[in-house]
Amino acid sequence: MSSEADVLSPESKAHTAQKGSTNANGFTDYFDLDGLLTEEHLLIRQSIRDFVKKEINPNIEKWAQDAHFPSEIVRKFGDVGAFGPTIPQEYGGGGLDYISYGLIMQEIERGDSGMRSTASVQGSLVMFPIYAYGSEEQRKKFLPKLASGEWLGCFGLTEPDHGSNPGGMTTNLKDMGDHYLLNGAKLWISNSPECQVAVVWAKNEQGRIKGVIVERGMEGFSTPEIHNKWSLRASCTGELVFEDVKIPKENILPNIDGLKGPLSCLDSARFGIAWGAIGAAIDCYESALKYSLQREQFGQPIGGFQLQQKKLAEMITEITKAQLMAWRLGVLKNEGKATSAQISMAKRNSVDMALHVAREARQIHGGMGITGEYPIMRHMMNLESVITYEGTHDIHLLITGADITGIQAFK
């Protein structure tokens, strides 16, 4: 019976080492997914990949260690087209399809989930509702500045006492004749401490949920920052507090009424997360593969041992499955056929997969896996937030359960 040290021939070892080092990106695409992408998709992905390598990767460990949000990245995201890529060009967007959007989120999250959150919130949760449900005047006023990164936006739905049950929100609008008064608070809001614009969801006096555009400088509007996070440390997170904030009537989103508005925004964001989390998994996998071929124990690279190969083989298998699901979801989204339940399934699967890959990668790195010399622990801590926000792991499971049985297990 062959020993573990004899499993790979010298030729196989050399071939594997070449794949893991000089061709790691191609090796991650195990089923030639690139063959399903257009030339434009590949160019967009490469552009964002180059941007991340230049602007994020050299700095991200320090930003995370220091709990520092680099506000200068906002303008740079705007310059590279990361904000609102599916918004029409006439409003400053890229006019791209949803697979392009997914690839952009994937590449940014290869750098860091917090960086992807910044871009995802701006495009899916702020620009999307203004474009889809706003007036033409609102589109022209807000979208170009958000697209360019001149303004940063945030999305106010989650409240201190209402997370998975957004319909129970208590933030409220009162009609004062020539304006509204907004009162309440939102919690766990990405981008809020630095935002110039907030798309906020509140109940009117009839109990209907309305979208409100709140602008920095409105009296009674404040955005306290949340500190001491162990996760998304390079992302700014805070609250939105409204104390008799006067909202001009032209700041109400006119073309949506009810919970459908915020939930459709979440669909857009969850679609981006389904792609983005794959990027975090790829970064962890590639780091683990490279490390396994360089780190030697018992006279050979640890990548030659069966248990390490099991981890690596399962990692690339799960990444590949998630890639194929995300691509198919992108096709359906482009065709206008993607359902909320399908998006929930993909978001849940990708994040769960990425978190498992990060944990396995940490073991392959041994003690070095907990240091900032490798991206593993940062991704792992970030993913602990991603698995909860935009719908928790359990809620997405129940969304699938309700879809396949026709019986909702939560109200």
Side-chain angles (χ1 to χ4, degrees):
M1 185 174 180
S2 299
S3 68
E4 289 186 3
D6 294 331
V7 170
L8 292 178
S9 68
E11 293 79 9
S12 296
K13 290 178 182 177
H15 181 57
T16 301
Q18 183 182 22
K19 282 185 174 180
S21 55
T22 62
N23 195 26
N25 288 340
F27 191 50
T28 306
D29 184 11
Y30 206 84
F31 267 56
D32 189 24
L33 187 64
D34 282 6
L36 300 172
L37 303 178
T38 67
E39 192 66 31
E40 183 181 31
H41 291 148
L42 297 175
L43 288 171
I44 290 166
R45 186 184 65 185
Q46 190 61 51
S47 174
I48 300 299
R49 184 174 295 177
D50 292 342
F51 171 83
V52 170
K53 286 180 179 179
K54 178 183 177 183
E55 301 291 348
I56 295 177
N57 289 350
N59 307 302
I60 189 60
E61 297 299 340
K62 180 170 174 52
W63 291 340
Q65 290 282 356
D66 295 345
H68 169 68
F69 173 67
S71 56
E72 68 275 9
I73 202 71
V74 178
R75 276 285 198 173
K76 293 177 180 179
F77 273 141
D79 291 341
V80 81
F83 290 149
T86 62
I87 299 293
Q89 292 180 340
E90 64 183 292
Y91 300 112
L96 303 175
D97 72 349
Y98 280 95
I99 291 178
S100 298
Y101 172 60
L103 290 167
I104 290 170
M105 295 300 105
Q106 174 184 287
E107 292 306 312
I108 294 175
E109 194 149 355
R110 282 178 75 163
D112 185 75
S113 300
M115 294 290 98
R116 195 268 310 144
S117 291
T118 300
S120 180
V121 167
Q122 184 92 329
S124 292
L125 299 180
V126 182
M127 296 177 69
F128 168 76
I130 293 174
Y131 171 69
Y133 307 126
S135 66
E136 187 63 16
E137 291 74 20
Q138 290 169 344
R139 295 186 188 114
K140 290 178 178 177
K141 177 180 178 179
F142 295 105
L143 291 179
K145 288 183 168 61
L146 290 164
S148 69
E150 180 180 347
W151 286 352
L152 184 65
C154 69
F155 175 85
L157 180 63
T158 299
E159 297 187 356
D161 296 320
H162 298 94
S164 296
N165 176 27
M169 70 174 66
T170 58
T171 298
N172 61 89
L173 276 172
K174 185 176 181 181
D175 192 339
M176 304 302 291
D178 62 343
H179 67 275
Y180 289 96
L181 279 185
L182 177 65
N183 282 282
K186 303 292 183 177
L187 187 63
W188 301 117
I189 310 302
S190 294
N191 297 354
S192 77
E194 302 275 343
C195 78
Q196 284 74 47
V197 177
V199 173
V200 177
W201 301 91
K203 285 184 178 177
N204 65 15
E205 292 164 288
Q206 291 73 46
R208 299 296 296 172
I209 293 173
K210 306 297 290 186
V212 185
I213 302 174
V214 185
E215 299 176 62
R216 177 71 70 183
M218 288 182 171
E219 187 176 354
F221 173 44
S222 59
T223 57
E225 186 169 1
I226 295 172
H227 298 284
N228 300 321
K229 298 181 299 179
W230 286 105
S231 181
L232 300 178
R233 289 173 58 81
S235 171
C236 62
T237 310
E239 305 173 54
L240 299 173
V241 179
F242 315 106
E243 299 175 309
D244 286 334
V245 181
K246 290 184 178 180
I247 304 294
K249 293 209 164 180
E250 59 265 27
N251 279 38
I252 303 297
L253 296 178
N255 300 319
I256 192 65
D257 183 69
L259 199 55
K260 177 184 176 181
L263 293 184
S264 66
C265 300
L266 292 175
D267 274 351
S268 181
R270 290 164 179 170
F271 174 84
I273 293 170
W275 284 80
I278 295 170
I282 288 172
D283 198 45
C284 290
Y285 166 76
E286 290 181 350
S287 181
L289 177 60
K290 184 177 180 180
Y291 187 84
S292 76
L293 297 171
Q294 294 174 343
R295 172 70 169 171
E296 292 194 1
Q297 290 290 282
F298 305 105
Q300 72 166 4
I302 62 172
F305 293 108
Q306 289 179 0
L307 289 179
Q308 305 308 315
Q309 289 192 5
K310 176 180 184 293
K311 290 182 175 68
L312 292 165
E314 290 178 342
M315 291 157 83
I316 189 59
T317 300
E318 294 306 312
I319 288 170
T320 300
K321 287 156 65 176
Q323 286 175 321
L324 291 167
M325 179 182 281
W327 172 80
R328 179 58 185 160
L329 183 65
V331 171
L332 292 172
K333 186 80 168 161
N334 284 340
E335 295 174 349
K337 297 178 181 177
T339 68
S340 295
Q342 288 169 334
I343 294 169
S344 280
M345 177 184 284
K347 186 269 184 182
R348 182 180 183 275
N349 178 74
S350 290
V351 182
D352 183 61
M353 175 278 296
L355 194 50
H356 182 72
V357 166
R359 289 168 177 161
E360 293 289 86
R362 210 291 304 157
Q363 290 199 59
I364 290 175
H365 285 78
M368 294 303 294
I370 70 166
T371 72
E373 293 185 39
Y374 297 92
I376 311 304
M377 283 297 291
R378 177 172 50 79
H379 281 306
M380 192 188 304
M381 291 190 297
N382 285 341
L383 289 164
E384 288 290 351
S385 289
V386 182
I387 205 168
T388 295
Y389 71 30
E390 314 290 2
T392 69
H393 187 68
D394 292 344
I395 288 293
H396 284 301
L397 186 73
L398 295 179
I399 289 172
T400 302
D403 194 50
I404 60 178
T405 65
I407 304 171
Q408 188 163 296
F410 62 95
K411 298 297 183 183

